[in-house]
Amino acid sequence: MNVMTADGDAGRPGWLLDEVASAGRENLDRDHGARYDAKEDAGAAEEVRLCRRLGLTRDSVVVEFGPGTGQFTLAVAPACTRVIAVDVSPAMLAALRSNLAHARLSNVLVVQAGFLTYEHDGPPADLVYSRYALHHLPDFWKAVALSRLASMLRPGGVLRLWDVVYSFDPADAGERLEAWCASADASTGDADRWNRADLEEHVRDEHSTFTWLLEPMMLRAGFTIEDATYTDDGIFAQYALRRRAPIS
């Protein structure tokens, strides 16, 4: 495992979003990082199988944004030649580094940066992976981030994106969001489960958007949408995107 750190504020223009400040309260909390694996199962083994169907091979270069504690990172590393794990949160990076050290993986590079500050070096990525991270950016910056992700992928490369993306109509927002928050009521007080306050905080303070806003950004960034799957409650979306080849 190798570790790199972005330049931080030294070279950051004043107009650029502060990605650390936008990372979400919990993601900057070491105690949350320590509990995260108990609260959230990333389904990493199945995700690696899906990525293989999308073209992941032992020769692939993978860049993951928002790896958190590294559930997907640890699962995909044995299936490819190199993983670059990019996260802005010092707390999550500490948990990730600990898990990587325990796993003794030698093909993972950890980079402290984000969607807007990571600078890709070396061969283009074959796969970019991100789960529950893009929603930390407001919509303007999501569009910028998607363009940057496309630029680091080879033509034909894949972006696997899984996030809180709303597929319901705005007129139904109150009913749908209340139902989602109420679904966690039973776990209130259990630190190892998401509770109503967690979900309310997400809706109120973070930047999940609508599918009909996000998907045109994907197309504008240079992707084709090979698959889009929405949960029945309209809260989550999963995408398989492929970078279009430049028109010669």
Side-chain angles (χ1 to χ4, degrees):
M1 176 188 65
N2 296 312
V3 180
M4 292 177 59
T5 303
D7 289 338
D9 291 342
R12 183 166 66 88
W15 48 260
L16 185 63
L17 181 76
D18 184 340
E19 292 182 277
V20 177
S22 298
R25 175 191 58 80
E26 280 197 333
N27 291 322
L28 300 175
D29 180 353
R30 284 183 179 267
D31 289 340
H32 171 69
R35 296 192 305 268
Y36 187 82
D37 289 342
K39 296 179 74 168
E40 187 67 38
D41 180 358
E46 178 56 35
E47 285 293 287
V48 172
R49 286 191 286 270
L50 172 64
C51 291
R52 284 190 172 121
R53 294 195 292 272
L54 292 170
L56 177 74
T57 72
R58 291 297 299 269
D59 296 325
S60 295
V61 173
V62 177
V63 182
E64 182 180 7
F65 285 85
T69 59
Q71 292 183 38
F72 179 78
T73 308
L74 271 66
V76 78
C80 66
T81 188
R82 188 181 192 217
V83 183
I84 305 165
V86 183
D87 207 304
V88 299
S89 166
M92 286 299 189
L93 287 170
L96 172 62
R97 289 169 183 146
S98 175
N99 290 337
L100 288 171
H102 181 73
R104 297 185 178 180
L105 293 167
S106 60
N107 64 333
V108 178
L109 174 66
V110 176
V111 180
Q112 185 171 359
F115 290 106
L116 307 177
T117 51
Y118 170 69
E119 296 294 340
H120 188 68
D121 187 26
D126 301 287
L127 171 72
V128 171
Y129 188 90
S130 185
R131 185 176 187 273
Y132 297 160
L134 192 64
H135 67 257
H136 292 293
L137 302 181
D139 280 5
F140 172 85
W141 294 110
K142 287 188 184 76
V144 173
L146 287 165
S147 180
R148 298 188 86 244
L149 298 183
S151 71
M152 65 188 68
L153 274 165
R154 63 169 175 79
V158 171
L159 169 59
R160 170 62 169 167
L161 181 66
W162 180 336
D163 215 323
V164 181
V165 190
Y166 306 132
S167 57
F168 51 75
D169 190 271
D172 299 327
E175 178 184 353
R176 294 295 188 99
L177 294 172
E178 174 56 31
W180 183 41
C181 293
S183 71
D185 277 349
S187 65
T188 300
D190 186 345
D192 289 337
R193 296 180 63 186
W194 301 111
N195 58 46
R196 183 184 178 100
D198 293 329
L199 304 191
E200 289 177 336
E201 182 178 22
H202 177 99
V203 174
R204 182 183 64 246
D205 297 342
E206 299 182 13
H207 302 286
S208 288
T209 191
F210 289 103
T211 54
W212 48 269
L213 291 173
L214 184 63
E215 289 169 11
M217 297 183 203
M218 297 169 175
L219 300 177
R220 184 65 177 263
F223 291 105
T224 57
I225 302 174
E226 290 198 349
D227 185 71
T229 303
Y230 315 130
T231 52
D232 291 340
D233 59 5
I235 300 295
F236 301 94
Q238 301 173 28
Y239 294 96
L241 311 176
R242 198 171 296 273
R243 186 192 170 190
R244 296 193 299 269
I247 299 174
S248 56

